[in-house]
Amino acid sequence: MRHCKKGRKLNRTASHRKALFSNLASSLIINKHIVTTLPKAKELRRLSERLVTYAKKDSLHGRRLILKNIKGKLNKKIANILLHDIAPSYKDRSGGYTRIIKLKNRKNDNSEMCIIEFVNLLDNKESSENEVENKK
């Protein structure tokens, strides 16, 4: 029985799973939304919301926890995006930073597809452009 065993294995080894979710989280943070399968998105939601919570604390320990979970050459860039762009948007929000929108099944293997994206996330550039337009 699988009592107290959280998470999906997704038919992958532990190292492959860790690399997969690190890459998916990196893509989600950089692009703000990605298209993936539903089970992967549900697992990615757990990781990405935890990363945003670490970033909201804005401490050295939070940065190190983010760098621990995100592997690769771009991990410092991704940590900076989380700390300076994404986390301030969710300062007053306690959880529920991502949204999963279901799409049609994939034609090839009929797997459930979905979009995972950040909720109510305005880029600083867009908000500053809106402020400039309002001043005119």
Side-chain angles (χ1 to χ4, degrees), residues 44-54 95-99:
L44 177 61
R45 177 174 49 189
R46 293 177 61 210
L47 175 65
S48 61
E49 295 206 2
R50 192 174 303 132
L51 292 176
V52 173
T53 304
Y54 292 153
Y97 312 118
T98 57
R99 161 191 308 139

Side-chain angles (χ1 to χ4, degrees), residues 28-121:
L28 178 64
I29 292 165
I30 291 171
N31 299 317
K32 310 299 188 252
H33 72 279
I34 57 173
V35 177
T36 184
T37 60
L38 188 62
K40 287 180 192 171
K42 287 182 177 179
E43 282 300 306
L44 177 61
R45 177 174 49 189
R46 293 177 61 210
L47 175 65
S48 61
E49 295 206 2
R50 192 174 303 132
L51 292 176
V52 173
T53 304
Y54 292 153
K56 278 174 59 176
K57 294 177 184 172
D58 196 22
S59 64
L60 179 61
H61 182 60
R63 180 182 290 273
R64 286 181 176 163
L65 288 172
I66 292 168
L67 293 174
K68 177 182 160 188
N69 286 307
I70 302 294
K71 303 294 182 192
K73 294 178 182 176
L74 297 176
N75 61 354
K76 291 181 182 176
K77 178 185 173 188
I78 291 166
N80 286 332
I81 291 172
L82 266 173
L83 288 166
H84 302 299
D85 298 341
I86 296 175
S89 304
Y90 298 123
K91 183 177 58 174
D92 299 327
R93 191 179 184 108
S94 58
Y97 312 118
T98 57
R99 161 191 308 139
I100 293 177
I101 302 169
K102 291 185 181 181
L103 302 173
K104 291 183 178 179
N105 291 358
R106 188 162 50 197
K107 197 169 188 178
N108 183 19
D109 57 358
N110 203 32
S111 60
E112 297 174 314
M113 298 300 290
C114 66
I115 297 173
I116 182 167
E117 63 185 8
F118 285 109
V119 177
N120 297 335
L121 182 66

